[in-house]
RNA sequence: GGUCUCGUGGCCGAGCGGCUAGGCACCGGUCUGCAAAACCGUAUACUCCGGUUCGAAUCCGGACGAGACCUCCA
């Protein structure tokens, strides 16, 4: 197989890998659906954000000037499984007996903490729905003017039948409206809609609504899908390069975004639609409604009953990137432990490289290795293959360290720089900081010296007593060639 | 029920017509006072049944199994 020289990515619109050609050369506009702040994002949500963070990092690595927009949903009515329009943030506010803004603020702070914990690069803009009510109203007005929506009793609905005269509906999710009709379960509370597939753009205020905005149609709330259309248009234009989100948003959310964008501006908002797959627990999608979810914080604190010990955020991130973003990933303790070991091997390999000194000749091609890693990234952001390349490098590092391989000065510095860049900048994992404090380090120095003295005197009983005692205290001794380490 | 996706060695997971993916575990070896760790190495696989092909884990058809979506979801 010849290595890709240019970026190819899988476009959900066509169902194929396509060469990536940005609208403006050298620049990429990317919009990713962010969290709804009515609760703390769970680990499944984090997987999607980690995957798109990796994709963002890859695009930066390729040299694109990227404008990355990820929204924060802090308002909006969604239609629940009973067919009722509900305000999830308002419900959370009622439940916790606080103002909706307090809910949003509280979970936004937590989300920002999580982004730092999992080393997510901040998007260029994180717009909120509530700050863009006016823009949403303007898009709705445009859709009305184009004849693809109607007003009914203070609410505005998207008119799918009128829209179908000019545009297809359901292309992204591969659905046909006539098929949808008899597949859709019977819904109540939709008498206002003229057609079952119509969806709310604006919902008239209900007596118990905690958040209400003024509009040309009276007081109310924006629909769930319209914020993305308004904000993506404002910050990226009527059409931009990449739209991302979780697989489960394909229908109806992204389908309706396409309809809104076509209905107002006559074009699909994005040229490439990317969908990240789900995180599974016990073979089933992690979901609030299944009750099989845990929080990104619980896994690093070790407070989730699913896991017997804590895992560093970097290890969790590394674990997630060992699967391709388009595949489902099963999280189990066994798999996580495997990643943890691999992660440590990678980190130790990298620090070992610092001790390697250059030779006159090079015994392997750093350039070839670099190309191999590069083509993995160019092939639809293939993180698992990138990681396989990193382990290939680790193998070479050990060979270098033992004198079984050589690199000249130029190649060695290229090797070091590329490896560090791919690991820390592109993959976005960080070494785990040594948690030991200075006083402990001082004590350990004395203990290690005592044990070394005992060993020199072949006093194995004392030596092993120290080792076993420390093991009980959770400190492991490693007798290496160049002295003993602990951790 | 409809639409779609997927079934890879003990586990996770790439590949998607011919070339060792990778990690972890296992086993063997090196090192070591012993152990652990570390390093090196071998082995193990493509759900089943047909078809296409010189050649199929990879393409086509069927069976079985799993999952996702079908107005809560990343």
């Amino acid at each position: 197989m010849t290595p890709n020289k240019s970026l190819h990515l899988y476009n959900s619109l066509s169902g194929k890998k396509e060469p990536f050609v940005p609208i403006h050369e050298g620049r990429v506009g990317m919009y990713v659906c962010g969290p709804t702040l009515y609760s703390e994002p769970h680990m499944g949500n984090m997987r999607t954000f980690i995957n798109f963070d990796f994709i963002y990092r890859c695009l930066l690595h390729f040299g694109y000037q990227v404008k990355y927009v990820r929204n924060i949903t802090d308002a909006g009515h969604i239609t629940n499984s009973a067919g009722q329009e509900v305000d999830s943030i308002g419900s959370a506010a009622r439940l916790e007996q606080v103002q909706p803004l307090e809910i949003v603020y509280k979970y936004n702070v937590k989300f920002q903490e999580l982004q730092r914990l999992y080393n997510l690069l901040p998007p260029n803009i994180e717009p909120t729905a509530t700050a863009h009510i006016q823009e949403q109203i303007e898009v709705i007005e445009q859709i009305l003017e184009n004849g693809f929506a109607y007003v009914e009793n203070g609410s505005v609905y998207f008119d799918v039948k009128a829209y179908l005269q000019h545009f297809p509906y359901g292309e992204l999710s591969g659905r046909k409206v006539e098929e949808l009709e008899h597949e859709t379960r019977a819904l109540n509370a939709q008498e206002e809609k003229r057609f079952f597939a119509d969806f709310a753009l604006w919902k008239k205020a209900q007596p118990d609504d905690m958040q209400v905005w003024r509009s040309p149609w009276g007081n109310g709330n924006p629909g769930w899908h319209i914020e993305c259309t308004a904000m993506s248009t404002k910050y990226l234009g009527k059409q931009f390069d990449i739209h991302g989100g979780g697989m489960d948003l394909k229908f109806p959310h992204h389908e309706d975004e396409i309809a809104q964008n076509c209905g107002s501006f006559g074009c699909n908002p994005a040229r490439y639609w990317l969908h990240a797959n789900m995180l599974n627990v016990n073979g089933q999608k992690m979901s609030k409604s299944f009750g099989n979810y845990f929080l990104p914080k619980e896994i690093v604190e070790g407070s989730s009953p699913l896991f017997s010990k804590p895992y560093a955020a970097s290890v969790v991130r590394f674990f997630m990137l060992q699967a391709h973003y388009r595949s489902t990933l099963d999280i189990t303790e066994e798999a996580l432990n495997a990643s943890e070991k691999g992660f440590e091997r990678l980190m130790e390999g990298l620090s070992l490289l610092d001790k390697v000194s250059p030779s006159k000749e090079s015994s392997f091609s750093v350039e070839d290795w670099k190309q191999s890693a590069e083509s993995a990234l160019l092939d639809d952001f293939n993180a698992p293959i990138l990681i396989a390349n990193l382990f290939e490098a680790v193998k070479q590092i050990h060979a270098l360290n033992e004198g079984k391989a050589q690199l000249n000065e130029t190649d060695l510095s290229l090797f070091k720089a590329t490896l560090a860049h791919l690991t820390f900048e592109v993959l976005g994992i960080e070494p785990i900081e040594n948690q030991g404090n200075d006083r402990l380090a001082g004590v350990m120095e004395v203990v290690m010296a005592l044990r070394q003295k005992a060993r020199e005197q072949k006093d194995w009983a004392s030596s092993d007593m120290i080792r076993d005692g420390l093991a009980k205290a959770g400190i492991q001794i490693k007798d290496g060639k160049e002295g003993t380490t602990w951790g």
Side-chain angles (χ1 to χ4, degrees):
Chain A
M1 197 176 76
T2 51
N4 282 324
K5 292 267 163 61
S6 66
L7 175 60
H8 284 61
L9 45 81
Y10 183 90
N11 191 349
S12 298
L13 264 182
S14 62
K16 288 181 201 145
K17 269 187 201 167
E18 299 175 5
F20 178 67
V21 183
I23 295 169
H24 303 288
E25 201 184 333
R27 291 161 178 263
V28 176
M30 176 162 84
Y31 185 93
V32 173
C33 290
T36 301
L37 294 176
Y38 66 102
S39 64
E40 200 169 329
H42 59 60
M43 203 65 233
N45 298 319
M46 278 308 291
R47 183 186 178 206
T48 297
F49 300 137
I50 288 170
N51 275 137
F52 280 105
D53 179 65
F54 172 67
I55 287 170
Y56 176 44
R57 287 164 179 271
C58 286
L59 292 169
L60 293 175
H61 164 75
F62 297 141
Y64 289 112
Q65 195 180 322
V66 186
K67 190 163 176 185
Y68 175 23
V69 180
R70 191 186 56 213
N71 72 300
I72 285 171
T73 299
D74 57 352
H77 275 48
I78 49 179
T79 310
N80 72 6
S81 51
Q84 292 154 332
E85 301 284 338
V86 296
D87 173 6
S88 45
I89 291 158
S91 307
R94 270 191 291 277
L95 200 66
E96 299 188 24
Q97 296 191 321
V98 293
Q99 294 286 313
L101 194 65
E102 281 183 68
I103 290 290
V104 166
Y105 185 76
K106 172 178 157 186
Y107 291 117
N108 196 14
V109 168
K110 289 195 181 203
F111 182 54
Q112 299 303 325
E113 282 169 10
L114 287 176
Q115 289 192 69
R116 281 191 296 277
L117 183 62
Y118 283 88
N119 202 25
L120 303 184
L121 294 176
N124 298 92
I125 307 174
E126 287 185 88
T128 59
T130 52
H132 297 79
I133 299 293
Q134 187 54 38
E135 286 82 351
Q136 297 183 63
I137 288 171
E138 283 165 18
V139 174
I140 297 170
E141 284 179 321
Q142 185 65 58
I143 297 173
L144 275 166
E145 197 181 313
N146 293 351
F148 299 127
Y150 54 89
V151 183
E152 192 72 50
N153 187 30
S155 293
V156 186
Y157 293 96
F158 191 89
D159 189 341
V160 172
K161 268 190 174 163
Y163 177 76
L164 279 169
Q165 305 296 311
H166 299 84
F167 300 96
Y169 179 83
E171 275 200 320
L172 179 68
S173 54
R175 288 183 165 78
K176 293 196 173 85
V177 172
E178 55 271 27
E179 284 173 4
L180 270 175
E181 186 151 24
H182 41 85
E183 288 161 17
T184 306
R185 46 187 182 249
L187 300 178
N188 352 318
Q190 60 170 23
E191 313 81 49
E192 287 174 359
K193 293 181 191 175
R194 293 182 189 164
F195 185 53
F196 81 96
D198 294 350
F199 53 92
L201 297 172
W202 187 265
K203 195 70 191 167
K204 184 188 179 179
Q206 304 298 305
D208 58 347
D209 273 344
M210 295 182 82
Q211 279 180 302
V212 166
W213 287 271
R214 275 187 207 161
S215 82
W217 316 285
N219 289 347
N221 284 271
W224 179 41
H225 317 297
I226 198 69
E227 60 166 297
C228 288
T229 302
M231 296 190 287
S232 70
T233 304
K234 176 162 183 176
Y235 297 109
L236 296 168
K238 290 169 184 170
Q239 191 174 53
F240 49 93
D241 299 295
I242 295 173
H243 194 307
M247 199 77 102
D248 50 354
L249 293 183
K250 242 183 179 178
F251 187 88
H253 183 59
H254 291 159
E255 205 66 79
D256 290 348
E257 258 191 84
I258 292 173
Q260 288 166 354
N261 214 79
C262 289
S264 49
F265 311 119
C267 60
N268 192 307
R271 307 221 297 187
Y272 302 89
W273 284 83
L274 270 49
H275 288 98
N277 219 322
M278 302 291 103
L279 181 67
N280 286 354
V281 175
N282 303 325
Q284 207 176 27
K285 173 184 162 180
M286 180 177 289
S287 166
K288 280 183 189 156
S289 45
F290 294 148
N292 64 345
Y293 74 100
F294 60 89
L295 302 178
K297 223 172 183 173
E298 290 174 336
I299 196 167
V300 300
E301 286 170 350
S303 56
S304 164
L306 287 163
F307 304 102
S308 63
K309 68 185 191 83
Y311 294 88
S314 257
V315 168
V316 178
R317 183 177 168 114
F318 183 69
F319 166 75
M320 302 238 163
L321 291 170
Q322 275 182 301
H324 191 260
Y325 77 90
R326 277 193 291 115
S327 302
T328 54
L329 171 63
D330 247 304
I331 190 163
T332 60
E333 178 126 51
E334 198 181 356
L336 216 40
N337 279 331
S339 283
E340 186 176 47
K341 290 249 180 128
F343 175 86
E344 282 163 7
R345 198 165 107 83
L346 178 60
M347 288 302 143
E348 279 165 22
L350 289 178
S351 53
L352 190 60
L353 184 57
D354 290 333
K355 294 174 190 148
V356 172
S357 40
S359 306
K360 283 183 181 169
E361 304 288 324
S362 294
S363 63
F364 67 94
S365 168
V366 174
E367 197 56 48
D368 285 356
W369 169 81
K370 194 182 166 188
Q371 283 307 313
S372 167
E374 193 71 21
S375 53
L377 298 180
L378 288 167
D379 183 18
D380 199 25
F381 315 108
N382 198 322
I385 297 284
L386 171 67
I387 291 172
N389 275 282
L390 295 179
F391 281 110
E392 203 52 54
V394 169
K395 203 171 264 190
Q396 291 292 357
I397 290 169
H398 289 298
L400 287 166
N401 187 49
E402 285 163 28
K404 290 174 185 163
Q406 293 79 37
L407 283 180
N408 67 32
E409 207 166 338
T410 318
D411 284 344
L412 185 62
S413 58
L414 177 68
F415 194 45
K416 280 183 184 173
T418 308
L419 205 44
H421 173 74
L422 290 174
T423 306
F424 303 122
E425 304 303 323
V426 179
L427 215 50
I429 56 175
E430 299 171 305
I432 298 167
E433 282 171 30
N434 209 333
Q435 292 172 345
N437 60 41
D438 290 347
R439 289 185 71 181
L440 178 61
V443 171
M444 282 304 293
E445 205 171 309
V446 174
V447 174
M448 298 301 276
L450 282 170
R451 180 166 175 269
Q452 189 52 38
K453 197 176 166 192
R455 294 182 73 203
E456 278 162 14
Q457 292 169 354
K458 297 195 193 287
D459 177 6
W460 309 126
S462 300
S463 157
D464 289 355
M465 190 178 88
I466 293 169
R467 185 175 69 197
D468 298 345
L470 288 172
K472 270 187 190 167
I475 297 171
Q476 197 185 31
I477 297 288
K478 297 179 186 179
D479 291 326
K481 276 180 192 166
E482 289 152 28
T484 304
T485 56
W486 58 274

